[in-house]
């Protein structure tokens, strides 16, 4: 099948393209080549073998020309990460939400009714927690006063005991805590409305902490693994915020690509946008990531510096069961193996 792959020159998109081609499909890459991700303003050399269209998903005329030439759509284009400050909000809304709305409208005009779309774990907000006495409870928002005082664990809203982080299922409450998170949830809502109105089928792929070759570097839009590696390459100790015990699920980009291809080959239920956690199923801490990467790179030991960035959450770990049931997807790259390889994986050219 021919697949229109938006954001195809990006970190995840390029790996989806490679796996599609490897399995006999033809990816058509559409990418705006935004300077936040592409320092040279052009597609990386590893995409030379593909058809790459330099254009914007918000360009309805361009989509009207491209969509009749393909069989289905994989929507990876997005502005990601924490960003710089709230002044980023219009750019996030334009690149994530407006772009998705334009794409969905163009798909309606062209008769396409199947979409695989990148979403994110950030739609869950603070995550899922339980109290030894009160069971699963809604976590309170962390106060800046508690963070400043080094009180990072969340208290039970009923008794004040520290809450324990739990695996998050896809039906958990959605409470975005950052601009990026708000735009990713809005993308899902747009897809839900479109699917209901058209009988369309959508998979919303809620990525957890993705890492691996071709990650962006030296940019506020990069992930924590890339930030730690950049520090180590400069001979500096990775700076670990809070106490280093915040829990995450780190999933290798090759596994994320496999999940997307499985979704492209497996129709979702008609009239629905079905969310899926795309994760490794391994619970690790930020401190473990920093230490494992420092050891692999023979670098200085991490420094725990406290504090937290706006929008950071305490624990965010995923239940992988639904993706296994509906797509047969299970991550294959273990944490130790993946991080050891990441120590020398090629990254994107530094931005800025």
């Amino acid at each position: 099948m021919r697949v229109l792959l938006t954001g195809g020159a990006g970190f995840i998109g390029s790996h989806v393209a490679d796996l599609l081609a490897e399995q006999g499909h033809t990816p058509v890459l559409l990418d705006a080549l935004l300077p936040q991700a592409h320092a040279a303003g052009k597609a990386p050399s590893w995409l030379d073998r593909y058809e790459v269209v330099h254009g914007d998903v918000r360009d309805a005329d361009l989509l009207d020309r491209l969509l009749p030439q393909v069989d289905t759509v994989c929507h990876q284009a997005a502005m990601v990460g924490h960003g710089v400050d709230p002044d980023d909000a219009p750019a996030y809304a334009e690149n994530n939400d407006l772009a998705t709305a334009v794409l969905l409208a163009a798909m309606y005009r062209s008769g396409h009714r199947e979409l695989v779309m990148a979403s994110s774990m950030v739609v869950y907000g603070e995550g899922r927690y339980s109290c030894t006495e009160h069971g699963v409870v809604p976590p309170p928002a962390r106060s800046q006063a508690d963070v400043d005082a080094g009180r990072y664990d969340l208290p039970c809203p009923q008794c004040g005991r520290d809450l324990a982080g739990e695996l998050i299922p896809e039906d958990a409450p959605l409470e975005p805590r950052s601009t990026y998170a708000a735009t990713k949830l809005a993308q899902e809502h747009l897809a839900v409305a479109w699917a209901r109105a058209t009988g369309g089928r959508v998979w919303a792929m809620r990525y957890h902490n993705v890492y691996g070759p071709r990650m962006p570097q030296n940019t506020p839009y990069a992930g924590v693994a890339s930030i730690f590696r950049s520090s180590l390459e400069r001979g500096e100790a990775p700076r670990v915020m809070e106490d280093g015990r915040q829990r995450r699920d780190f999933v290798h980009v090759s596994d994320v690509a496999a999940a997307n291809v499985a979704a492209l080959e497996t129709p979702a239920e008609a009239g629905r946008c079905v969310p899926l956690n795309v994760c490794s199923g391994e619970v690790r801490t930020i401190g473990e990531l920093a230490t494992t990467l420092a050891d692999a790179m023979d670098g200085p030991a991490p420094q725990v510096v406290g504090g937290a960035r706006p929008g950071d959450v305490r624990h965010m770990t995923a239940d992988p069961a639904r993706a296994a049931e509906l797509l047969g997807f299970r991550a294959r790259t273990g944490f130790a193996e993946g991080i050891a390889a990441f120590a020398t994986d090629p990254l994107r050219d530094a931005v800025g």
Side-chain angles (χ1 to χ4, degrees):
M1 60 183 169
R2 284 176 62 84
V3 180
L4 179 62
L5 180 57
T6 74
F11 168 41
I12 294 173
S14 66
H15 285 276
V16 175
D18 285 351
L19 189 55
L20 283 169
E22 180 182 316
Q23 296 192 6
H25 305 300
T26 302
V28 178
L29 281 54
L30 172 62
D31 203 295
L33 301 175
L34 296 177
Q36 297 95 324
H38 302 277
K42 61 181 181 179
S45 59
W46 52 71
L47 299 177
D48 286 348
R49 61 184 172 134
Y50 301 124
E51 178 183 351
V52 180
V53 179
H54 184 185
D56 199 306
V57 182
R58 295 169 292 182
D59 185 340
D61 291 338
L62 175 59
L63 293 176
D64 287 342
R65 293 195 299 272
L66 291 175
L67 284 168
Q69 304 173 32
V70 300
D71 301 304
T72 191
V73 182
C74 185
H75 183 32
Q76 302 294 319
M79 185 172 172
V80 302
H82 276 282
V84 177
D85 57 41
D87 194 46
D88 283 336
Y92 275 106
E94 290 174 1
N95 285 286
N96 296 353
D97 301 335
L98 177 60
T100 298
V102 172
L103 175 63
L104 292 169
M107 289 179 64
Y108 169 69
R109 290 192 299 273
S110 66
H112 285 79
R113 296 294 182 266
E114 294 186 2
L115 174 67
V116 175
M117 181 180 75
S119 186
S120 172
M121 67 180 189
V122 295
V123 300
Y124 296 118
E126 188 60 57
R128 182 181 176 92
Y129 295 82
S130 65
C131 171
T132 54
E133 180 176 351
H134 297 103
V136 174
V137 296
R142 293 200 292 182
S143 71
Q144 190 59 49
D146 281 345
V147 170
D148 292 343
R151 294 188 293 269
Y152 303 118
D153 285 313
L154 299 169
C156 173
Q158 299 181 48
C159 67
R161 292 186 178 92
D162 283 350
L163 296 175
E166 302 283 348
L167 297 184
I168 304 167
E170 287 86 350
D171 59 0
L174 305 178
E175 298 182 359
R177 302 281 175 96
S178 69
T179 299
Y180 171 57
T183 63
K184 295 308 288 184
L185 182 54
Q187 283 184 275
E188 288 198 20
H189 286 167
L190 288 165
V192 167
W194 178 84
R196 287 177 176 169
T198 66
R201 305 169 184 267
V202 183
W203 295 111
M205 314 296 277
R206 291 178 180 167
Y207 302 150
H208 285 254
N209 291 78
V210 187
Y211 72 96
R214 306 175 188 168
M215 270 190 100
Q217 59 177 322
N218 298 331
T219 163
Y221 307 95
V224 65
S226 175
I227 292 170
F228 287 165
R229 181 173 143 172
S230 292
S231 295
L232 288 161
E233 287 179 336
R234 295 192 299 267
E236 301 171 1
R239 292 169 57 84
V240 179
M241 304 194 84
E242 300 186 28
D243 56 5
R245 298 191 183 101
Q246 47 285 43
R247 297 163 64 186
R248 297 290 188 270
D249 184 304
F250 298 99
V251 57
H252 196 267
V253 68
S254 63
D255 288 317
V256 174
N260 275 278
V261 173
L264 286 163
E265 296 175 337
T266 309
E269 184 180 343
R272 288 196 60 203
C273 173
V274 181
L276 295 175
N277 286 326
V278 180
C279 59
S280 70
E282 288 189 62
V283 175
R284 299 286 179 167
T285 68
I286 297 291
E288 281 183 278
L289 171 66
T291 298
T292 304
L293 190 56
D295 289 346
M297 297 180 67
D298 197 23
Q303 294 181 352
V304 177
V305 299
R309 297 181 299 178
D312 273 349
V313 300
R314 179 58 173 167
H315 301 305
M316 180 65 68
T317 54
D319 184 343
R322 182 184 285 184
E325 176 188 354
L326 298 183
L327 295 185
F329 167 73
R330 293 173 179 82
R332 295 184 176 182
T333 304
F335 178 82
E337 171 194 356
I339 297 303
F342 182 66
T344 56
D345 279 336
L347 302 185
R348 290 182 173 271
D349 291 339
V351 175

